[in-house]
Amino acid sequence: MEISAAAAPAGSCFPSLLLVDKASIRHGGESVAAVLRAHGVRFLFTLVGGHISPLLVACEKLGIRVVDTRHEVTAVFAADAVARLTGTVGVAAVTAGPGLTNTVTAVKNAQIAQSPVLLLGGAASTLLQNRGALQAIDQMSLFRPLCKFCASVRRVRDIIPTLRAAMAAAQSGTPGPVFVELPIDILYPYFMVQKEMVPAKPPKDLVGRVVAWYLANHLANLFAGAWEPQPEGPLPLDIPQASPQQVQRCVEILSRAKRPVMVLGSQALLPPTPADKLRAAVETLGVPCFLGGMARGLLGRSHPLHIRQNRSAALKKADVVILAGTVCDFRMSYGRVLSRSSKIIIVNRNRKEMLINSDMFWKPQEAVQGDVGSFVVKLVEGLQGQTWASDWAEELRQGDRQKEQSFREKAEISVAQHLNPVRVLQLVEETLPDNSILVVDGGDFVGTAAHLVQPRGPLRWLDPGAFGTLGVGAGFALGAKLCRPDAEVWCLFGDGAFGYSLIEFDTFVRHKIPVMALIGNDAGWTQISREQVPSLGSNVACGLAYTDYHKAAMGLGAQGLLLSRENKDQVVKVLRDAQQQCRDGHPVVVNILIGRTDFRDGSIAM
């Protein structure tokens, strides 16, 4: 075995001389795979490229399932879904340049949704960056604003510590995406990099010899100490916790409440508090709740504490409001939905986000920076079984019943053509099994579904979050089905949004991922047109066609079914047929031709 020594750069924490094993056929991709396995990563989502081939092959050898998609954005959305459903880091790997730029929307969505996603990006070799290499751009500048941790690995021995730090950063504090750039020459074996980098014949001229020396020294530094044993497992996480004094002040505020309300958001479902422990705490607390984001379904389908409608009116009447992982952005009318006379308790891991708009429309009585789930558990312990008068919760439930009656009336109204979407979604709600996971991707159809279709339990509803991104559906469904193979994954798509995901039915077929897509096909970008037409007098750019999406899916190898006015009495039968085809292992698209209603008039957010 041929061994040489390389000098470590000034300031390095490594010894002054590190060995280079020139005979080794090992490569940096193996180090990447080893760290992922040590962190319990089960799936790696990717679209293949030569820059990253070694890490894909290494992951496959270590038993990490490599799932390749038809667009890089889908790979990151799938990793996002894994992160949300498992509470661990979801991982995607894409090639350099356009492979990485294709992920920007999904990474930004993960940042806003606070999902711990690790994006591994290929890059031009360390020597050829900024020299016009293929697909070489300044990737670090692109991702620094999107990620809470960014690093470019420059030596093979740095792969392991960099990835460990990235994984910890993704989950610590406010979770979010992280990016690690892996240049091609730190992923391939020494002999291959040497062949590309160092001249085969020693140059005879002085300048040539100097250049050859420089290249050889650079190569030695790349691989020096590459295979020295290093710890690969997880680093400790930094998760902020509310102080006992803050919890006690909140206990005192809530103990004096007569009409309390709690609004739970996605942060409440983050580790370390398990969903079942959080649910038990919420039930013990006994405060009426509104649930949003990943907290949807926390209390099951028909829990008496779960209030689903008229949130704005309830918040105005409440004397104490607990915003548990919920912030005062557009979804809360920037805080204007809160009453000035209410005492507001807000808890969030992110202080800046927690106080957004508090200088304009609302003021917190207590602003608690800490983990939301842990805070709720401690709050319940501090109240020691205190209860509240039942008439307040009953008043809110009565509002729910009135709203739901109006939904039933709207479901019976005939539409000009095709099927009434309200009625269709009511039948979906009646058919949805208890083991289902709902993935929603769209505007008008999905907005209607949010009022009518209930997730059956915690971590069973996946939407893009506050960024409102279209195109999440296929990736979320892919990640969800892999994480929960025994669950039925139902995807509710608008016809506009489905255009982003159609090609990924090829991915579902190739990887044998049986998911069910229901497309609310009203031949248009209806959420926009319902405001654009009356306000501006034109439907320009809002029109689509009643496209045969089910046939397109069949062309990709999936199953396709059609629902229209011609078989309007068979909605449940068609849904059952789709379920059975999924159980038989086939991905299915149900193309549901729907008309338009006034259900969501005035709903566009500005």
Side-chain angles (χ1 to χ4, degrees):
M1 181 170 68
E2 185 180 359
I3 300 289
S4 66
S12 171
C13 61
F14 294 91
S16 58
L17 290 177
L18 291 170
L19 298 181
V20 178
D21 183 355
K22 296 182 179 180
S24 176
I25 60 172
R26 294 179 65 182
H27 56 79
E30 296 171 355
S31 297
V32 175
V35 175
L36 298 185
R37 182 177 65 176
H39 283 74
V41 173
R42 297 165 54 208
F43 311 107
L44 176 69
F45 301 99
T46 191
L47 197 158
V48 72
H51 289 88
I52 59 170
S53 289
L55 74 88
L56 303 181
V57 172
C59 284
E60 180 188 43
K61 287 182 178 179
L62 289 186
I64 297 170
R65 184 170 177 180
V66 178
V67 183
D68 61 303
T69 62
R70 295 300 302 270
H71 195 291
E72 291 89 351
V73 77
T74 304
V76 178
F77 284 139
D80 186 336
V82 168
R84 298 188 196 197
L85 294 180
T86 65
T88 59
V89 178
V91 186
V94 300
T95 199
L100 272 161
T101 58
N102 278 344
T103 70
V104 166
T105 296
V107 174
K108 184 64 184 182
N109 194 81
Q111 181 190 45
I112 293 179
Q114 301 175 351
S115 294
V117 170
L118 169 61
L119 176 62
L120 302 173
S125 69
T126 52
L127 272 180
L128 294 180
Q129 291 182 11
N130 301 314
R131 294 179 180 272
L134 174 67
Q135 298 180 332
I137 59 171
D138 182 1
Q139 299 174 161
M140 299 298 291
S141 294
L142 190 63
F143 283 91
R144 280 193 190 99
L146 307 177
C147 297
K148 55 185 301 195
F149 176 100
C150 283
S152 180
V153 179
R154 316 308 286 180
R155 300 171 300 196
V156 178
R157 63 180 177 267
D158 294 337
I159 292 174
I160 291 175
T162 302
L163 289 178
R164 294 178 75 209
M167 297 284 271
Q171 300 171 88
S172 293
T174 305
V178 294
F179 171 59
V180 176
E181 181 182 77
L182 300 165
I184 191 170
D185 50 350
I186 66 113
L187 288 179
Y188 278 83
Y190 180 93
F191 72 92
M192 294 182 68
V193 179
Q194 181 188 42
K195 182 179 178 181
E196 292 294 322
M197 186 180 295
V198 180
K201 295 181 179 180
K204 296 181 179 180
D205 61 296
L206 178 61
V207 173
R209 289 199 298 271
V210 170
V211 171
W213 172 85
Y214 175 82
L215 294 174
N217 193 61
H218 182 83
L219 176 65
N221 193 50
L222 277 176
F223 284 87
W227 316 123
E228 294 292 323
Q230 297 186 63
E232 298 165 347
L235 294 169
L237 304 182
D238 179 15
I239 298 175
Q241 296 289 340
S243 70
Q245 294 80 11
Q246 287 176 308
V247 174
Q248 183 57 37
R249 288 197 297 270
C250 295
V251 166
E252 291 169 2
I253 292 169
L254 190 56
S255 67
R256 295 190 289 269
K258 302 297 183 186
R259 299 184 307 281
V261 163
M262 182 157 61
V263 185
L264 282 160
S266 295
Q267 272 197 19
L269 273 295
L270 290 174
T273 305
D276 56 352
K277 185 175 182 180
L278 177 64
R279 172 175 176 155
V282 170
E283 289 177 325
T284 301
L285 187 62
V287 171
C289 293
F290 292 91
L291 306 174
M294 295 303 296
R296 285 176 179 266
L298 176 67
L299 297 175
R301 188 177 180 185
S302 301
H303 198 284
L305 288 177
H306 181 201
I307 311 302
R308 302 185 66 236
Q309 315 295 341
N310 304 310
R311 186 177 72 175
S312 296
L315 291 173
K316 286 293 187 185
K317 291 181 180 179
D319 58 356
V320 173
V321 176
I322 306 169
L323 301 178
T326 298
V327 298
C328 292
D329 58 12
F330 71 93
R331 294 167 293 182
M332 293 281 289
S333 297
Y334 310 98
R336 286 176 293 196
V337 73
L338 300 170
S339 171
R340 294 270 182 189
S341 61
S342 300
K343 289 182 170 60
I344 312 299
I345 297 170
I346 187 165
V347 56
N348 198 287
R349 292 194 186 190
N350 187 308
R351 182 165 182 81
K352 180 179 178 181
E353 183 178 83
M354 176 170 61
L355 297 176
I356 190 170
N357 297 312
S358 63
D359 57 340
M360 295 181 66
F361 301 119
W362 70 287
K363 289 290 181 186
Q365 185 81 8
E366 282 291 334
V368 181
Q369 185 177 3
D371 176 63
V372 176
S374 303
F375 170 83
V376 173
V377 171
K378 292 173 184 174
L379 190 66
V380 172
E381 293 170 352
L383 285 161
Q384 299 179 340
Q386 179 171 333
T387 58
W388 285 266
S390 60
D391 56 345
W392 168 235
E394 177 57 29
E395 178 185 341
L396 299 179
R397 285 194 293 269
Q398 179 61 27
D400 267 14
R401 289 190 286 268
Q402 292 172 356
K403 200 70 171 282
E404 287 159 7
Q405 175 59 33
S406 73
F407 295 163
R408 287 189 286 272
E409 293 170 0
K410 287 182 181 294
E412 299 304 320
I413 298 173
S414 295
V415 294
Q417 60 181 149
H418 301 304
L419 301 175
N420 184 327
V422 179
R423 180 57 182 156
V424 168
L425 287 166
Q426 284 182 336
L427 294 173
V428 169
E429 163 64 17
E430 294 172 13
T431 310
L432 198 67
D434 288 341
N435 74 336
S436 60
I437 294 176
L438 282 162
V439 174
V440 297
D441 185 9
D444 205 69
F445 186 66
V446 165
T448 302
H451 289 279
L452 301 171
V453 183
Q454 300 184 55
R456 299 325 197 215
L459 300 175
R460 292 185 174 274
W461 173 281
L462 287 166
D463 64 27
F467 202 31
T469 309
L470 292 183
V472 302
F476 279 9
L478 177 60
K481 187 62 178 177
L482 287 169
C483 287
R484 308 271 181 85
D486 296 331
E488 288 189 15
V489 177
W490 289 48
C491 310
L492 304 182
F493 285 100
D495 55 331
F498 187 68
Y500 294 90
S501 288
L502 171 60
I503 191 58
E504 298 299 350
F505 275 79
D506 171 79
T507 303
F508 297 142
V509 170
R510 287 185 295 108
H511 289 280
K512 297 179 173 56
I513 308 290
V515 301
M516 190 163 84
L518 310 182
I519 306 169
N521 186 352
D522 57 6
W525 299 95
T526 303
Q527 179 161 290
I528 308 303
S529 66
R530 70 166 64 248
E531 300 295 331
Q532 180 175 307
V533 173
S535 299
L536 302 172
S538 172
N539 197 46
V540 61
C542 294
L544 295 171
Y546 282 107
T547 300
D548 288 334
Y549 296 111
H550 59 298
K551 292 182 180 179
M554 292 168 69
L556 294 170
Q559 301 296 306
L561 300 170
L562 177 66
L563 267 173
S564 66
R565 182 163 284 183
E566 282 64 40
N567 58 349
K568 64 180 181 180
D569 296 327
Q570 297 183 316
V571 173
V572 173
K573 179 184 182 303
V574 171
L575 293 177
R576 297 289 189 203
D577 289 346
Q579 282 182 284
Q580 186 57 53
Q581 290 179 4
C582 271
R583 291 175 188 141
D584 293 339
H586 305 290
V588 183
V589 169
V590 184
N591 189 16
I592 308 173
L593 306 187
I594 58 174
R596 303 192 181 190
T597 72
D598 64 356
F599 188 87
R600 298 189 69 244
D601 281 355
S603 61
I604 193 167
M606 299 293 286

